Amino acid sequence: MVCGGFACSKNALCALNVVYMLVSLLLIGVAAWGKGLGLVSSIHIIGGVIAVGVFLLLIAVAGLYMIILGLVFIFQFVISCSCLAINRSKQTDVINASWWVMSNKTRDELERSFDCCGLFNLTTLYQQDYDFCTAICKSQSPTCQMCGEKFLKHSDEALKILGGVGLFFSFTEILGVWLAMRFRNQKDPRANPSAFL
């Protein structure tokens, strides 16, 4: 049997379905891990990656391809490139904007979990943030590391992982579209030879 035949295409599509299920679970897991860092949850791109993962899982379970998978490729490619393209100053802007939208309770929880005080020393309210900080580092030393730097480190890491994983696996979706088109246009050798494709 040749590898370009009906059975080979069918088996390749089944294997690709399994790979897509694993990739979608990986995307959801990595994005949820990034979202679980606290501050990174305010970045809408991570929500987009989770949505792509869920959508890809639904497509893999249902076995629907071609047009839908092509659209997922475009969406996932754009989101992945966005994750990789966000520079440090943009991340700083997002972190700074989300810090002032958070409730005091959320800020306090983040300061304790990351063991830091205040956001950036660039803000006028930094001293007020520092005075109300309840992190352990404040009682152990006269100065604490600023939370902004720690948040930037974690968000940068999460965005690079999300972007890389999403970009790599978005190209396998093109393979899925090609395989689905090929499989669709092949005749089943077990079927009636006079039947329409």
Side-chain angles (χ1 to χ4, degrees):
M1 177 177 294
V2 241
C3 192
F6 183 81
C8 183
S9 295
K10 181 180 173 183
N11 292 337
L13 277 174
C14 290
L16 201 58
N17 260 353
V18 171
V19 169
Y20 285 155
M21 285 183 204
L22 295 175
V23 168
S24 64
L25 293 174
L26 181 68
L27 280 172
I28 293 167
V30 170
W33 170 76
K35 214 170 185 173
L37 288 177
L39 185 71
V40 183
S41 66
S42 66
I43 299 177
H44 298 298
I45 291 174
I46 292 178
V49 173
I50 289 175
V52 167
V54 169
F55 192 62
L56 186 59
L57 183 64
L58 292 174
I59 288 173
V61 168
L64 303 173
Y65 284 105
M66 295 199 338
I67 294 174
I68 295 173
L69 201 56
L71 292 173
V72 169
F73 163 75
I74 293 168
F75 186 65
Q76 186 171 341
F77 183 78
V78 168
I79 295 289
S80 299
C81 289
S82 299
C83 285
L84 293 171
I86 291 180
N87 59 15
R88 201 151 174 89
S89 73
K90 217 30 147 167
Q91 289 179 31
T92 304
D93 293 344
V94 170
I95 289 171
N96 204 6
S98 61
W99 181 261
W100 300 113
V101 174
M102 289 181 208
S103 68
N104 289 333
K105 181 182 177 195
T106 306
R107 280 189 220 159
D108 188 46
E109 288 172 5
L110 284 172
E111 286 175 337
R112 276 188 274 128
S113 67
F114 280 92
D115 197 25
C116 56
C117 286
L119 186 60
F120 296 109
N121 207 0
L122 309 171
T123 61
T124 55
L125 299 174
Y126 171 75
Q127 192 58 44
Q128 180 183 357
D129 264 352
Y130 192 82
D131 291 340
F132 291 112
C133 180
T134 59
I136 297 171
C137 65
K138 191 173 178 186
S139 62
Q140 294 176 346
S141 69
T143 59
C144 271
Q145 186 177 3
M146 292 178 286
C147 293
E149 292 303 318
K150 287 190 173 188
F151 295 160
L152 278 173
K153 179 184 164 211
H154 288 292
S155 69
D156 193 46
E157 182 182 331
L159 287 171
K160 296 270 187 284
I161 291 171
L162 284 172
V165 168
L167 191 61
F168 176 76
F169 286 109
S170 67
F171 288 107
T172 65
E173 293 164 2
I174 294 297
L175 175 67
V177 170
W178 178 76
L179 276 173
M181 285 175 45
R182 182 175 170 80
F183 180 71
R184 184 173 179 223
N185 294 326
Q186 286 180 339
K187 190 182 279 190
D188 187 352
R190 295 170 295 175
N192 184 359
S194 63
F196 184 71
L197 289 175

